[in-house]
Amino acid sequence: MATGTIPAADLPGGLDLQTTLESGQSYHWRREDGGMYEETGARGGDGWYATVVDGAVVRVRQVGGAPDGDLQWEATTDADPILADLLRLDDDLPAIRAATPEDPLVAAAFDAYPGLRVVRDPPFPTLVAFICSAQMRVARIHAMQRALAREYGTSVTFDGRTYHGFPSAEQLAAATEGELRDLGLGYRAPYVVETAEMVADGRSPADARGLAYEDAREALTEFVGVGSKVADCVLLFSLDYLEAVPLDTWIRTAIADHYPDCDRGSYAETSRAIRERFGGEYAGYAQTYVFHHLRTGE
DNA sequence: CGCCAGGCTAGCG
DNA sequence: CGCTAGCATGGC
């Protein structure tokens, strides 16, 4: 078993591991202390989180408190580069904030969650998770992804425990709509099966990389169950488009309450307006802070 | 019981 | 183009 420590105090802006993993952007980590990602879950901070990437198990926790406490990890391989990638540890949070126009809501959101980072999750699992996210609460999206991993993913044993990787497109394409409905996916079940089949046939969501932002969003909507909002989530939380601002119910409420002039009617035009209001290049970062701030009730 | 949750698709004008 | 009905499920 490989182990290591990453001093979060050395990262620009630090890291809040729990908030980053439980703020509704990533659905591929599990808290090992039995926590269920309850919306009002206890904020311990000393719990382990685990994920499986390319067959490797990675377990990590933060000791000493966020945002400066050390990250301790245990894994089947060297997890330093994996964690740097998944948690975007190279992002310079103070520089990102400095590039974001400060208004009262944005300032309050940044102040409330120092060390919150946007994640960089693998493309296919992210695509499936956000197809499942339609009209669904965060805790239940987590439950769906756990069920998919348990039923269709490859199991890995590490340190005496069994972990389940998220299923590949081929594994998920072998599922039937009825099976996924039985797992509680509801009307999203056929979307997931059809998109898995598309990816198994060679069309990866990662192919959107390299396209201009709005072209990339259009390209992703070719997958079944993927509209503008889900496409923006995949672009922001997996494909490095930090300017993407997913317009979900919370952000639409924020626009109505705080930026009414940004409501231009259509998704595309409202998206442009709020993206500009949030400073363009890192607008998705501001969106992530505001989303979490509003959703946790302030 | 009604309402809501990180919306999308198909079908219409 | 834009607009809307219908769609599953569980928690409060």
PDB file of all heavy atoms in Angstrom, chain A residues 135-149:
ATOM      1  N   GLN A 135     -33.725  17.016 -12.440  1.00  0.00           N
ATOM      2  CA  GLN A 135     -34.833  17.087 -11.471  1.00  0.00           C
ATOM      3  C   GLN A 135     -34.617  16.128 -10.303  1.00  0.00           C
ATOM      4  O   GLN A 135     -35.513  15.376  -9.949  1.00  0.00           O
ATOM      5  CB  GLN A 135     -36.151  16.769 -12.173  1.00  0.00           C
ATOM      6  CG  GLN A 135     -36.571  17.832 -13.152  1.00  0.00           C
ATOM      7  CD  GLN A 135     -36.930  19.135 -12.490  1.00  0.00           C
ATOM      8  OE1 GLN A 135     -36.160  20.064 -12.480  1.00  0.00           O
ATOM      9  NE2 GLN A 135     -38.120  19.203 -11.900  1.00  0.00           N
ATOM     10  N   MET A 136     -33.422  16.161  -9.738  1.00  0.00           N
ATOM     11  CA  MET A 136     -33.076  15.206  -8.685  1.00  0.00           C
ATOM     12  C   MET A 136     -32.230  15.890  -7.625  1.00  0.00           C
ATOM     13  O   MET A 136     -31.463  16.796  -7.951  1.00  0.00           O
ATOM     14  CB  MET A 136     -32.294  14.053  -9.323  1.00  0.00           C
ATOM     15  CG  MET A 136     -32.227  12.796  -8.531  1.00  0.00           C
ATOM     16  SD  MET A 136     -33.769  12.253  -7.849  1.00  0.00           S
ATOM     17  CE  MET A 136     -34.770  12.049  -9.325  1.00  0.00           C
ATOM     18  N   ARG A 137     -32.375  15.490  -6.391  1.00  0.00           N
ATOM     19  CA  ARG A 137     -31.588  16.098  -5.318  1.00  0.00           C
ATOM     20  C   ARG A 137     -30.198  15.483  -5.244  1.00  0.00           C
ATOM     21  O   ARG A 137     -29.995  14.318  -5.601  1.00  0.00           O
ATOM     22  CB  ARG A 137     -32.300  15.950  -3.981  1.00  0.00           C
ATOM     23  CG  ARG A 137     -33.481  16.894  -3.838  1.00  0.00           C
ATOM     24  CD  ARG A 137     -34.042  16.865  -2.424  1.00  0.00           C
ATOM     25  NE  ARG A 137     -35.040  17.906  -2.208  1.00  0.00           N
ATOM     26  CZ  ARG A 137     -36.318  17.796  -2.539  1.00  0.00           C
ATOM     27  NH1 ARG A 137     -36.745  16.680  -3.077  1.00  0.00           N
ATOM     28  NH2 ARG A 137     -37.159  18.789  -2.324  1.00  0.00           N
ATOM     29  N   VAL A 138     -29.258  16.272  -4.738  1.00  0.00           N
ATOM     30  CA  VAL A 138     -27.852  15.870  -4.690  1.00  0.00           C
ATOM     31  C   VAL A 138     -27.664  14.521  -3.997  1.00  0.00           C
ATOM     32  O   VAL A 138     -26.955  13.649  -4.509  1.00  0.00           O
ATOM     33  CB  VAL A 138     -26.997  16.955  -4.001  1.00  0.00           C
ATOM     34  CG1 VAL A 138     -25.606  16.426  -3.688  1.00  0.00           C
ATOM     35  CG2 VAL A 138     -26.909  18.184  -4.891  1.00  0.00           C
ATOM     36  N   ALA A 139     -28.312  14.320  -2.855  1.00  0.00           N
ATOM     37  CA  ALA A 139     -28.126  13.072  -2.113  1.00  0.00           C
ATOM     38  C   ALA A 139     -28.572  11.868  -2.934  1.00  0.00           C
ATOM     39  O   ALA A 139     -27.964  10.796  -2.875  1.00  0.00           O
ATOM     40  CB  ALA A 139     -28.888  13.126  -0.787  1.00  0.00           C
ATOM     41  N   ARG A 140     -29.627  12.058  -3.723  1.00  0.00           N
ATOM     42  CA  ARG A 140     -30.121  10.922  -4.509  1.00  0.00           C
ATOM     43  C   ARG A 140     -29.277  10.686  -5.746  1.00  0.00           C
ATOM     44  O   ARG A 140     -29.201   9.554  -6.239  1.00  0.00           O
ATOM     45  CB  ARG A 140     -31.582  11.131  -4.885  1.00  0.00           C
ATOM     46  CG  ARG A 140     -32.496  10.963  -3.673  1.00  0.00           C
ATOM     47  CD  ARG A 140     -33.907  10.645  -4.094  1.00  0.00           C
ATOM     48  NE  ARG A 140     -33.989   9.487  -4.956  1.00  0.00           N
ATOM     49  CZ  ARG A 140     -34.862   9.360  -5.949  1.00  0.00           C
ATOM     50  NH1 ARG A 140     -35.690  10.327  -6.217  1.00  0.00           N
ATOM     51  NH2 ARG A 140     -34.889   8.257  -6.657  1.00  0.00           N
ATOM     52  N   ILE A 141     -28.651  11.723  -6.282  1.00  0.00           N
ATOM     53  CA  ILE A 141     -27.722  11.521  -7.397  1.00  0.00           C
ATOM     54  C   ILE A 141     -26.562  10.653  -6.918  1.00  0.00           C
ATOM     55  O   ILE A 141     -26.141   9.715  -7.598  1.00  0.00           O
ATOM     56  CB  ILE A 141     -27.206  12.858  -7.946  1.00  0.00           C
ATOM     57  CG1 ILE A 141     -28.376  13.743  -8.371  1.00  0.00           C
ATOM     58  CG2 ILE A 141     -26.273  12.631  -9.138  1.00  0.00           C
ATOM     59  CD1 ILE A 141     -27.995  15.184  -8.642  1.00  0.00           C
ATOM     60  N   HIS A 142     -26.041  10.957  -5.715  1.00  0.00           N
ATOM     61  CA  HIS A 142     -24.991  10.113  -5.134  1.00  0.00           C
ATOM     62  C   HIS A 142     -25.463   8.672  -5.025  1.00  0.00           C
ATOM     63  O   HIS A 142     -24.738   7.743  -5.386  1.00  0.00           O
ATOM     64  CB  HIS A 142     -24.620  10.635  -3.742  1.00  0.00           C
ATOM     65  CG  HIS A 142     -23.677  11.791  -3.757  1.00  0.00           C
ATOM     66  ND1 HIS A 142     -22.357  11.662  -4.108  1.00  0.00           N
ATOM     67  CD2 HIS A 142     -23.861  13.096  -3.462  1.00  0.00           C
ATOM     68  CE1 HIS A 142     -21.763  12.847  -4.021  1.00  0.00           C
ATOM     69  NE2 HIS A 142     -22.654  13.736  -3.637  1.00  0.00           N
ATOM     70  N   ALA A 143     -26.679   8.477  -4.548  1.00  0.00           N
ATOM     71  CA  ALA A 143     -27.193   7.115  -4.352  1.00  0.00           C
ATOM     72  C   ALA A 143     -27.279   6.377  -5.683  1.00  0.00           C
ATOM     73  O   ALA A 143     -26.972   5.181  -5.767  1.00  0.00           O
ATOM     74  CB  ALA A 143     -28.563   7.176  -3.673  1.00  0.00           C
ATOM     75  N   MET A 144     -27.702   7.066  -6.737  1.00  0.00           N
ATOM     76  CA  MET A 144     -27.794   6.423  -8.052  1.00  0.00           C
ATOM     77  C   MET A 144     -26.426   5.981  -8.556  1.00  0.00           C
ATOM     78  O   MET A 144     -26.280   4.873  -9.086  1.00  0.00           O
ATOM     79  CB  MET A 144     -28.374   7.404  -9.076  1.00  0.00           C
ATOM     80  CG  MET A 144     -29.835   7.721  -8.894  1.00  0.00           C
ATOM     81  SD  MET A 144     -30.330   8.845 -10.225  1.00  0.00           S
ATOM     82  CE  MET A 144     -31.896   9.408  -9.594  1.00  0.00           C
ATOM     83  N   GLN A 145     -25.407   6.846  -8.401  1.00  0.00           N
ATOM     84  CA  GLN A 145     -24.084   6.494  -8.912  1.00  0.00           C
ATOM     85  C   GLN A 145     -23.491   5.335  -8.117  1.00  0.00           C
ATOM     86  O   GLN A 145     -22.812   4.467  -8.690  1.00  0.00           O
ATOM     87  CB  GLN A 145     -23.134   7.700  -8.879  1.00  0.00           C
ATOM     88  CG  GLN A 145     -23.679   8.946  -9.570  1.00  0.00           C
ATOM     89  CD  GLN A 145     -24.368   8.650 -10.888  1.00  0.00           C
ATOM     90  OE1 GLN A 145     -23.765   8.103 -11.803  1.00  0.00           O
ATOM     91  NE2 GLN A 145     -25.654   8.996 -10.989  1.00  0.00           N
ATOM     92  N   ARG A 146     -23.754   5.300  -6.804  1.00  0.00           N
ATOM     93  CA  ARG A 146     -23.309   4.160  -5.987  1.00  0.00           C
ATOM     94  C   ARG A 146     -23.962   2.878  -6.468  1.00  0.00           C
ATOM     95  O   ARG A 146     -23.319   1.838  -6.567  1.00  0.00           O
ATOM     96  CB  ARG A 146     -23.662   4.397  -4.508  1.00  0.00           C
ATOM     97  CG  ARG A 146     -22.746   5.350  -3.791  1.00  0.00           C
ATOM     98  CD  ARG A 146     -22.839   5.142  -2.268  1.00  0.00           C
ATOM     99  NE  ARG A 146     -24.189   5.293  -1.756  1.00  0.00           N
ATOM    100  CZ  ARG A 146     -24.724   6.459  -1.403  1.00  0.00           C
ATOM    101  NH1 ARG A 146     -24.024   7.568  -1.523  1.00  0.00           N
ATOM    102  NH2 ARG A 146     -25.951   6.521  -0.932  1.00  0.00           N
ATOM    103  N   ALA A 147     -25.250   2.962  -6.772  1.00  0.00           N
ATOM    104  CA  ALA A 147     -25.970   1.767  -7.230  1.00  0.00           C
ATOM    105  C   ALA A 147     -25.421   1.289  -8.575  1.00  0.00           C
ATOM    106  O   ALA A 147     -25.247   0.081  -8.783  1.00  0.00           O
ATOM    107  CB  ALA A 147     -27.463   2.072  -7.339  1.00  0.00           C
ATOM    108  N   LEU A 148     -25.143   2.220  -9.484  1.00  0.00           N
ATOM    109  CA  LEU A 148     -24.594   1.832 -10.789  1.00  0.00           C
ATOM    110  C   LEU A 148     -23.235   1.158 -10.625  1.00  0.00           C
ATOM    111  O   LEU A 148     -22.936   0.158 -11.280  1.00  0.00           O
ATOM    112  CB  LEU A 148     -24.472   3.062 -11.702  1.00  0.00           C
ATOM    113  CG  LEU A 148     -25.789   3.675 -12.180  1.00  0.00           C
ATOM    114  CD1 LEU A 148     -25.525   4.952 -12.977  1.00  0.00           C
ATOM    115  CD2 LEU A 148     -26.589   2.687 -13.016  1.00  0.00           C
ATOM    116  N   ALA A 149     -22.395   1.713  -9.729  1.00  0.00           N
ATOM    117  CA  ALA A 149     -21.075   1.120  -9.503  1.00  0.00           C
ATOM    118  C   ALA A 149     -21.213  -0.268  -8.873  1.00  0.00           C
ATOM    119  O   ALA A 149     -20.523  -1.207  -9.280  1.00  0.00           O
ATOM    120  CB  ALA A 149     -20.236   2.030  -8.602  1.00  0.00           C
TER     121      ALA A 149
END
